[in-house]
Amino acid sequence: PPFDTDEFTIDIEINKFRRKHNINSDVKIISFLGRIHYIKGIDFLIKGFHNFLKKKNYSENYLLCLIGSDDGYLDETKKLIKKYNIEKFVKVVGFLSGQKKNEALYDSDVVVQLSRLEQGAWAPIEAVLCGTPIIVTANTGSGEDVKRLDAGYLVNFGDEEEFANSLNYIFENYEICIKKTISAKKYIIENLSFNSRINEYLDLYK
């Protein structure tokens, strides 16, 4: 289906999300956007992020932000965070929508969606439209969307090492990843937006 891209053409104030949540500008933000639910692979995300932190010698330059409402898995998520002793590396933001959500996506350095099952890549595409690189799980509808658009990076569900390496690759090659993201953003706006496809619907009605 077409994407409503107009909301992403509005100027977004840089670092507004960071200031609100007291996150320094030099901290790399890895964000998850979605329901806090088992099917969203939050457990895989926490374990994979812990693996990544180990590779970085638990550098405080990285922060995982969980953006979304609790859908029955927040308590288990907090237990996992405590189990791996990474409380200071994770911020539970809660639900955001509209411009506040876009500000968070814009200020993030990477947005991840590691679902067990996912019909489509809506949240990751929103991140791409904010110019932010993405990682999603392969073998899902979301993964198929991202692969088809060459819009981001794919990892196999449960492969913590692969996820950690993908994060590391993005941070080590950020300019390349930004170019890939901007190219996908341009393609989506020009070919998959409501504005670009409305004539298809007009033609059908005619």
Side-chain angles (χ1 to χ4, degrees), residues 2-13 33 95-106 122-123 125-131 185 188-189 193-195:
F3 294 100
D4 183 2
T5 58
D6 284 350
E7 66 175 292
F8 301 98
T9 62
I10 301 170
D11 288 339
I12 298 174
E13 186 179 337
L33 174 65
F95 177 76
L96 296 177
S97 63
Q99 188 73 352
K100 290 181 179 179
K101 173 202 65 183
N102 292 344
E103 288 164 357
L105 295 175
Y106 189 81
W122 182 246
I125 293 302
E126 288 185 314
V128 168
L129 290 170
C130 289
K185 174 182 177 178
I188 291 165
I189 291 173
S193 66
F194 277 115
N195 294 333

